[in-house]
Amino acid sequence: MASGIWLFARHPEQWDRVRADPDLVPKACQEIIRLESPIQMFSRMATRDVTMDDGTTIPAGARAIVCYASANRDERQFPDAVRFDAGRHPNGHLGFGMGNHACAGQSLARLELHAVFGALARRIVRFELDGEPRLAPHQITRSFAHVPVRVAVQH
């Protein structure tokens, strides 16, 4: 949620879109997850030789790093991939993993994001950064320790 508020503060035109069309809330939440995936990377042991698209081979027994932050900005999958687009569709991000390694709590996380940003869209006109955000230091997760914001409320 802090990442979403940070993104909307940096991209007020996207918040305006969500406020004008609350049906965009689910897509906006998916876009927040795509750009600010809470888990940034993890590693796995290759069980067999694997050749990547660029011809690089990861040999069996080697440790490989899966970097969601990079995959979720792949121009082959996401046109204009670095841009925050609250209406992006389709949005096949890997922010919650997939298959056997999918996040067990992703449905609850989405439900919470939809509820909070849906409610905020009815009352908050604008998020404005009020100081320098500070990331919480961690090796594999991305979260904010502090996001100072001011809000303009609809009366």
Side-chain angles (χ1 to χ4, degrees):
M1 287 184 209
S3 292
I5 290 169
W6 175 73
L7 282 166
F8 284 126
R10 292 183 61 226
H11 304 278
E13 76 288 353
Q14 296 302 313
W15 184 243
D16 291 343
R17 288 179 67 195
V18 170
R19 290 194 72 237
D21 182 3
D23 289 341
L24 284 179
V25 167
K27 290 177 184 167
C29 291
Q30 289 291 89
E31 184 73 342
I32 292 164
I33 296 162
R34 181 183 77 83
L35 287 173
E36 294 294 314
S37 302
I39 303 294
Q40 290 288 293
M41 66 184 79
F42 68 92
S43 69
R44 290 288 185 257
M45 185 76 67
T47 59
R48 58 181 169 76
D49 289 356
V50 177
T51 302
M52 307 302 288
D53 287 348
D54 68 356
T56 303
T57 297
I58 300 170
R63 185 150 300 273
I65 301 289
V66 177
C67 184
Y68 292 129
S70 177
N72 286 339
R73 287 170 178 76
D74 185 340
E75 290 282 347
R76 296 171 297 179
Q77 299 297 316
F78 303 99
D80 200 8
V82 297
R83 186 171 65 86
F84 176 50
D85 177 358
R88 187 179 297 273
H89 184 79
N91 192 337
H93 67 77
L94 299 175
F96 285 130
M98 62 185 299
N100 292 339
H101 301 287
C103 172
Q106 65 181 298
S107 294
L108 177 60
R110 282 191 182 100
L111 178 68
E112 290 173 339
L113 286 170
H114 295 176
V116 168
F117 282 109
L120 291 173
R122 291 189 292 276
R123 294 288 316 268
I124 303 300
V125 176
R126 185 73 68 229
F127 298 101
E128 297 172 359
L129 291 175
D130 189 27
E132 197 62 37
R134 197 171 59 249
L135 288 170
H138 198 275
Q139 292 176 340
I140 63 168
T141 61
R142 179 175 174 82
S143 64
F144 284 99
H146 182 69
V147 180
V149 295
R150 284 190 313 257
V151 296
V153 179
Q154 179 176 322
H155 296 286

